[in-house]
Amino acid sequence: MGMFLQNVLILDCDEMTAKAALKKVEQISDSSMLELVPNECRFQQFPKGISILLNDRCCGYDSLAQILSETTMKPVMLLYIYDDDFWGYCFCDKGKPLDVFTPMPDYFEEVSEKTRQEVSGDSSLVASYFKVDEEEIKNYLIIWDEEKMENFEEKAYPDDECGQCDSWQVVDFMRKLGFPYEWDS
């Protein structure tokens, strides 16, 4: 079994607000589904907001991003690594889903073109919320097709640490958003 990881970015949020939101989510959620343990989560403050490395067994994806966004009434991006095979995100604001990205939409089963479009990520939207240049992030939001996988070591940007089809590319994306991944891996 590979690595499963979830990291939450909450814009314009401090640690105290984030901790209170996690406690509230723990109380209102089916904890057997999420297995969220707020005391096992790690927090790091950045100028744009808070980064939360969720505890190991926590599994919420879209639903957790949506609940945290609704609880805080702030933009929330839940980034994840799935089984060390790929990374993705769910992005919500005030409880409303805004954007989803996965580079391998056919990972579990073949999906329609409509679904592929729905999970392709919106670099313009993300850039506007995180106040970054779209040109600095749009190369991350690509489908990992056969050609990309053959050239997996190529980087989306010259200053990246990880290749274009590496699940840890998420750390390059986070850094460009203003939330460098500074946890022990």
Side-chain angles (χ1 to χ4, degrees):
M1 183 160 86
M3 159 77 94
F4 289 87
L5 179 132
Q6 291 190 87
N7 201 107
V8 175
L9 309 179
I10 306 177
L11 288 169
D12 303 317
C13 188
D14 60 40
E15 186 171 335
M16 188 171 74
T17 304
K19 284 182 175 180
L22 286 179
K23 286 282 189 194
K24 187 172 181 182
V25 169
E26 178 188 37
Q27 293 168 357
I28 64 173
S29 304
D30 175 3
S31 61
S32 65
M33 178 188 79
L34 295 176
E35 294 191 49
L36 174 64
V37 182
N39 292 339
E40 293 180 13
C41 298
R42 296 169 59 194
F43 300 80
Q44 187 168 29
Q45 191 69 52
F46 291 98
K48 293 182 181 183
I50 191 96
S51 177
I52 308 165
L53 182 62
L54 298 176
N55 60 284
D56 286 341
R57 296 166 313 283
C58 183
C59 183
Y61 301 103
D62 305 27
S63 61
L64 182 55
Q66 193 168 352
I67 293 168
L68 278 173
S69 179
E70 185 175 346
T71 302
T72 61
M73 294 307 290
K74 297 188 179 295
V76 171
M77 180 177 276
L78 187 143
L79 299 123
Y80 61 87
I81 292 177
Y82 187 87
D83 204 18
D84 212 13
D85 288 339
F86 64 94
W87 70 278
Y89 68 74
C90 310
F91 188 42
C92 300
D93 189 9
K94 297 180 181 87
K96 304 226 180 308
L98 296 178
D99 192 30
V100 177
F101 172 69
T102 179
M104 300 180 76
D106 295 319
Y107 183 82
F108 296 104
E109 64 187 12
E110 194 170 328
V111 298
S112 69
E113 187 56 36
K114 180 182 180 215
T115 299
R116 291 173 73 80
Q117 290 299 315
E118 290 170 351
V119 299
S120 65
D122 183 341
S123 59
S124 174
L125 175 81
V126 172
S128 70
Y129 269 87
F130 285 85
K131 297 178 179 32
V132 297
D133 181 355
E134 181 182 3
E135 293 298 316
E136 291 291 314
I137 62 168
K138 72 178 188 177
N139 292 350
Y140 296 121
L141 306 185
I142 60 166
I143 300 298
W144 295 356
D145 60 20
E146 194 173 309
E147 181 181 337
K148 292 284 183 200
M149 296 293 274
E150 286 176 9
N151 300 306
F152 67 94
E153 290 181 354
E154 285 183 23
K155 296 179 179 181
Y157 296 95
D159 62 338
D160 285 349
E161 293 179 28
C162 299
Q164 65 185 350
C165 295
D166 183 335
S167 62
W168 283 97
Q169 183 188 50
V170 69
V171 302
D172 293 320
F173 181 66
M174 289 173 62
R175 180 176 42 84
K176 296 280 177 86
L177 295 179
F179 292 84
Y181 184 87
E182 297 177 344
W183 316 102
D184 294 330
S185 300

